[in-house]
Amino acid sequence: MITTLRIQVLFHWESEEARLIAGQLYRTFSARPMGDGPRIPVRYGPRQVDGGPPPTIDLAAEREIIVILVDERMARRARDSDRVVADKWAQLVTNLLGQHSPPGASPHRVLPVALDSGALQLAPTLDYISFVRLDVRQGDERERHLVLHIAVRALRALQDLPQAGGRPADELPDIPIRLFISHSKRDLPADPAAIAEGPVKAILATLAQLPVQGWFDSADIPPGGRFPDEIQKGVLSSSALVAVLTDNWSSREWCRRELLEAKLAARPLVLVDAIEARVIRLFPYLGNAVTLRWRAAIAAAESMDAAWIERKKKWEAEDAAFVIEAALLEALRYQHEHRRLLRSIAKNEVALGTPPEALTFAHLPTSTTRVWYPDPPLGREELDRLQPTGAAKIDLTTPLSELARWKRPAGIQTVAVSLSTAPDTDLYGGSPEHLATFADDLVLYLLIAGLRVAYGGVLGLDALQQGAIAGDDINYVERLLAMVRSHSLLLSGVAGKPPVPIENWVAWPIHCRFGDAELRNYGQEATLKDLPAPPGLDVTAQELNANSNGFVPPDTPARRYAWARSLTYMRACMQGGTSARIAMGGRLKGYQGLWPGVLEEGIIALRAGEPLYLLGLFGGAARLLIDALRGEPREELTSAWLSALPGSDELRHEYGRRGHKVQTPEDLAIELKERGTVGLSAVLNNGLSEDENSELVSSDDPQRIVALILSGLRNKLAP
């Protein structure tokens, strides 16, 4: 399935500022399914060893917004190596702008951004190329300016509008939205010159500075025009309605009419909470909307001294800009979600860009049988009361709701997830934040589908290392349990019952250290599967010399051997208790077993013929396994690589000393290559085609990935 819209952010990976801005863009545009952002995938340019740009730019989405964050580090020419890299970046910018120039017919947009003055020195060939200028802006204005530029280009791309040719890049193109500003005339200042006094005037003043196609206000109704008709026209021709909710707003008939028309038309809505004292009766239809606080409304008029008045002016200017940004992002979210949902509808089905309400049903065709709307799903108590009285029941659903309706085959109960931090995620255009967020969503979707999730991580900073691994500050057990805890109401509401607790498999002797602090984490969100020592563990009690609680630290060859045997035993037991395995990420160093944990879990699944789903976008051990099955050489599967890891040779020697033959990494590479000659579909035995498995390897859409996994499980395991 082709992605509708994607944002790619290219930058020099050694630039800390560029990485921070890229992270901010990811959080702004690629919000969670339960969030309020546009939910547009955001990928980074894969990191290259020399710091240069990726050799090719993947344009797999229907529309790509390619943002290039140029700064002094990218343009640096202090050394010969720097000049080579800077020339590569300059050539990339030149090529992309040429291939996707404003006069052309390309559906993609290229946005060069100058983070500092050094960016303008990238190359003489770019002297006549304009940039989005963040170097001349300070504070929050920098981020807001860039967000506006990206959002506007995303909107224009979704609407198949041409690029704004002939304008400097730093000048916003026409914003293809109309905002209906719903407000009480009593809230306008008596002095017309006081343009920034109060929320209404401040918002209008900010709009006047932007190339918005137009906004609608009841003051624009032509002479002789009928208010009801003109208001309806205004709402229907608007992209979003901004309701400035003051003490007066709910008491004004035309304000209420404006909101009702927006609800009937299922238009996106942004509420500005500017109530200063109280409202006798709040209009009951002010719901299902992004709501922003107008900070200047929190102080009583009598307390306004000179300092407060200055602060109020500053707040009003900032909040007005925030309101316009929120309205722009809400319009983008609406259009993006609506376009995505349109792909799912069939005959007599309707796709909405906002959650349904009782008013929504008034405008539905009488033949409507199903309504699709964006996640998150409404609660059952709300859905049950939305159905129109005396009419045929209409099915209300979201992408997450559809997962909950998946009929789990009787033979499928528990799915194992292999997951840990990957050291090379950046080589594939991701980050630790991408991996952690993706893991949350993946587990959430599996639980909504009624599956139990098994995971072999450890509570605490990192019990395998007795401390945190350098660069690894994410504990996935704690994170996944927190995700289940925080979304338990959503899970219960969508699935109609509480989520099945996660199974946390922990090998001996790691769980021996668990006390009250660890054990209290188990119960509703997770159950503990603490395994005994493996049978036939040929280590004496004297060699183990366990602590009083039974814990054995991995600080001698014999103890490390015991740990490695126990980890392999736990993973084999876990395989026997699960129906399939999903693997992503996975560290390649700093592990205590014979092999990286995610890699060993994948190998055990392959040898057992268990359905295996490999996600390659995030690199790590899962990507190593994919490459090995495809016959691609990897240095991590060489004896030289393993020998360089602290304690690796000693551990393998200890295995040999105790009569256990250990496979060399070269032999493992040969085995995996031979297994992979039949293709991913056959070797993974997961019910998916070759093309679908290739999509799993590269996809950055968790809903699409789970849909593929559920399809594969049904194809493979359903009776």
Side-chain angles (χ1 to χ4, degrees):
M1 181 180 294
I2 299 176
T3 301
T4 301
L5 177 67
R6 181 171 63 177
I7 298 171
Q8 294 196 54
V9 188
L10 311 183
F11 54 90
H12 196 298
W13 278 87
E14 292 181 9
S15 170
E16 182 178 357
E17 181 185 21
R19 291 201 311 272
L20 289 174
I21 291 176
Q24 291 167 350
L25 294 177
Y26 172 71
R27 289 183 288 275
T28 298
F29 288 98
S30 192
R32 307 291 303 285
M34 293 68 64
D36 60 358
R39 302 170 191 165
I40 298 170
V42 176
R43 292 273 292 276
Y44 302 159
R47 179 176 63 82
Q48 306 300 304
V49 175
D50 64 354
T56 59
I57 303 298
D58 176 24
L59 299 177
E62 291 178 352
R63 301 162 185 82
E64 303 269 3
I65 311 297
I66 305 171
V67 182
I68 310 172
L69 303 179
V70 187
D71 63 354
E72 181 277 331
R73 184 62 190 89
M74 183 182 291
R76 184 180 299 174
R77 296 176 178 275
R79 302 182 179 89
D80 289 342
S81 58
D82 293 331
R83 285 191 286 275
V84 171
V85 170
D87 286 343
K88 289 181 180 179
W89 279 108
Q91 190 62 53
L92 175 73
V93 176
T94 302
N95 291 344
L96 287 174
L97 289 171
Q99 295 163 4
H100 311 290
S101 62
S106 172
H108 311 306
R109 309 288 194 266
V110 180
L111 195 63
V113 181
L115 301 187
D116 53 40
S117 58
L120 305 180
Q121 309 302 317
L122 182 59
T125 56
L126 298 175
D127 285 348
Y128 300 101
I129 298 298
S130 60
F131 289 73
V132 174
R133 300 291 300 274
L134 299 194
D135 57 312
V136 297
R137 290 174 170 81
Q138 302 293 327
D140 293 341
E141 184 190 3
R142 286 166 55 88
E143 181 182 350
R144 180 170 290 119
H145 187 68
L146 181 56
V147 166
L148 286 177
H149 271 279
I150 296 173
V152 171
R153 283 161 176 81
L155 279 164
R156 294 184 67 87
L158 281 174
Q159 298 177 27
D160 297 320
L161 296 174
Q163 300 190 51
R167 290 188 182 182
D170 197 51
E171 182 180 332
L172 280 169
D174 289 340
I175 303 176
I177 64 171
R178 288 174 59 87
L179 298 182
F180 191 116
I181 310 300
S182 175
H183 63 278
S184 166
K185 298 302 176 290
R186 291 186 180 183
D187 295 321
L188 296 174
D191 180 5
I195 189 65
E197 181 182 322
V200 177
K201 284 295 188 181
I203 292 170
L204 294 179
T206 301
L207 272 175
Q209 300 170 24
L210 297 172
V212 178
Q213 285 184 348
W215 61 86
F216 186 89
D217 176 68
S218 57
D220 298 328
I221 293 177
R226 295 186 68 252
F227 265 63
D229 295 341
E230 295 298 331
I231 285 175
Q232 184 181 52
K233 289 180 187 177
V235 170
L236 292 177
S237 65
S238 297
S239 308
L241 183 139
V242 177
V244 186
L245 184 59
T246 61
D247 298 29
N248 298 312
W249 187 94
S250 289
S251 65
R252 313 309 296 166
E253 175 189 354
W254 295 111
C255 292
R256 299 194 300 268
R257 283 175 177 261
E258 290 160 0
L259 188 84
L260 288 173
E261 291 293 348
K263 294 283 188 177
L264 287 170
R267 286 293 182 267
L269 177 64
V270 174
L271 296 182
V272 181
D273 181 3
I275 296 175
E276 294 183 5
R278 65 173 181 172
V279 175
I280 301 300
R281 179 184 181 270
L282 193 65
F283 194 49
Y285 298 99
L286 290 165
N288 281 335
V290 175
T291 304
L292 310 174
R293 188 74 174 100
W294 191 262
R295 290 175 294 173
I298 63 177
E302 59 268 18
S303 66
M304 291 187 182
D305 55 17
W308 168 251
I309 291 174
E310 289 303 312
R311 183 185 301 173
K312 177 187 175 185
K313 290 180 180 178
K314 179 175 181 293
W315 278 359
E316 290 199 326
E318 292 174 349
D319 286 359
F322 189 36
V323 168
I324 301 306
E325 177 185 310
L328 181 61
L329 290 176
E330 182 64 5
L332 175 59
R333 182 208 61 76
Y334 173 89
Q335 294 185 29
H336 181 247
E337 291 281 7
H338 188 249
R339 185 180 287 262
R340 291 183 66 194
L341 291 175
L342 282 175
R343 293 178 170 182
S344 303
I345 66 173
K347 184 179 179 181
N348 295 330
E349 296 183 355
V350 173
L352 299 178
T354 59
E357 301 182 31
L359 288 173
T360 310
F361 287 94
H363 270 201
L364 290 178
T366 55
S367 60
T368 301
T369 58
R370 172 181 284 192
V371 171
W372 289 80
Y373 65 97
D375 287 314
L378 300 177
R380 288 185 174 273
E381 75 290 343
E382 188 173 357
L383 290 173
D384 290 343
R385 288 161 177 78
L386 278 178
Q387 296 294 337
T389 304
K393 185 176 181 180
I394 297 176
D395 182 26
L396 303 176
T397 191
T398 76
L400 289 185
S401 301
E402 288 303 295
L403 289 179
R405 298 175 181 186
W406 183 70
K407 301 299 183 183
R408 178 174 58 82
I412 305 174
Q413 177 61 40
T414 305
V415 174
V417 173
S418 297
L419 162 72
S420 69
T421 298
D424 57 351
T425 302
D426 51 2
L427 296 178
Y428 302 93
S431 67
E433 185 175 16
H434 280 80
L435 176 56
T437 303
F438 197 95
D440 288 352
D441 291 346
L442 178 69
V443 172
L444 174 67
Y445 297 159
L446 292 173
L447 293 174
I448 285 177
L451 293 168
R452 185 189 299 274
V453 173
Y455 179 60
V458 182
L459 278 168
L461 287 176
D462 188 58
L464 293 179
Q465 294 290 317
Q466 296 180 316
I469 296 174
D472 180 7
D473 57 357
I474 300 174
N475 183 269
Y476 284 97
V477 176
E478 294 177 352
R479 186 179 177 100
L480 294 179
L481 296 191
M483 184 276 299
V484 176
R485 192 176 303 118
S486 62
H487 294 111
S488 60
L489 292 178
L490 171 67
L491 287 161
S492 299
V494 176
K497 56 185 177 181
V500 180
I502 293 174
E503 287 183 353
N504 184 200
W505 292 66
V506 183
W508 173 91
I510 301 169
H511 56 72
C512 296
R513 297 181 64 192
F514 285 6
D516 292 341
E518 289 79 16
L519 295 177
R520 70 169 58 103
N521 287 280
Y522 296 97
Q524 294 183 344
E525 291 86 23
T527 57
L528 176 62
K529 307 282 285 189
D530 48 346
L531 298 181
L537 181 62
D538 47 342
V539 182
T540 66
Q542 290 77 16
E543 288 177 305
L544 291 177
N545 192 22
N547 297 340
S548 58
N549 59 5
F551 180 72
V552 176
D555 54 3
T556 68
R559 287 172 164 180
R560 280 207 63 194
Y561 165 79
W563 270 58
R565 286 279 310 276
S566 296
L567 289 168
T568 300
Y569 175 66
M570 179 272 289
R571 290 161 184 156
C573 292
M574 192 175 177
Q575 183 275 321
T578 56
S579 303
R581 181 173 290 277
I582 305 165
M584 59 180 168
R587 63 172 61 95
L588 298 172
K589 295 181 179 179
Y591 52 88
Q592 291 292 345
L594 273 175
W595 306 103
V598 172
L599 176 63
E600 185 173 45
E601 289 169 354
I603 293 169
I604 290 172
L606 285 173
R607 291 172 177 169
E610 181 181 59
L612 178 60
Y613 302 88
L614 296 178
L615 282 57
L617 177 65
F618 304 105
R623 186 66 188 223
L624 172 63
L625 184 54
I626 293 167
D627 291 345
L629 290 171
R630 288 173 166 174
E632 300 174 12
R634 291 285 300 260
E635 64 173 341
E636 295 88 350
L637 291 181
T638 63
S639 296
W641 167 270
L642 285 186
S643 293
L645 301 180
S648 178
D649 285 346
E650 291 84 351
L651 175 60
R652 290 172 177 272
H653 174 75
E654 191 69 18
Y655 266 80
R657 189 176 73 82
R658 296 175 185 272
H660 299 277
K661 185 178 180 180
V662 178
Q663 190 176 30
T664 68
E666 287 81 6
D667 286 343
L668 177 59
I670 292 172
E671 176 195 344
L672 293 174
K673 181 178 180 180
E674 290 177 348
R675 288 180 179 272
T677 55
V678 296
L680 289 179
S681 177
V683 69
L684 299 180
N685 191 36
N686 59 15
L688 297 179
S689 68
E690 198 69 20
D691 288 343
E692 288 171 331
N693 274 293
S694 295
E695 187 177 352
L696 274 188
V697 170
S698 60
S699 178
D700 54 9
D701 184 344
Q703 286 189 5
R704 174 59 179 164
I705 282 177
V706 171
L708 285 171
I709 291 172
L710 296 181
S711 173
L713 288 172
R714 180 175 294 282
N715 293 340
K716 194 66 190 177
L717 300 176

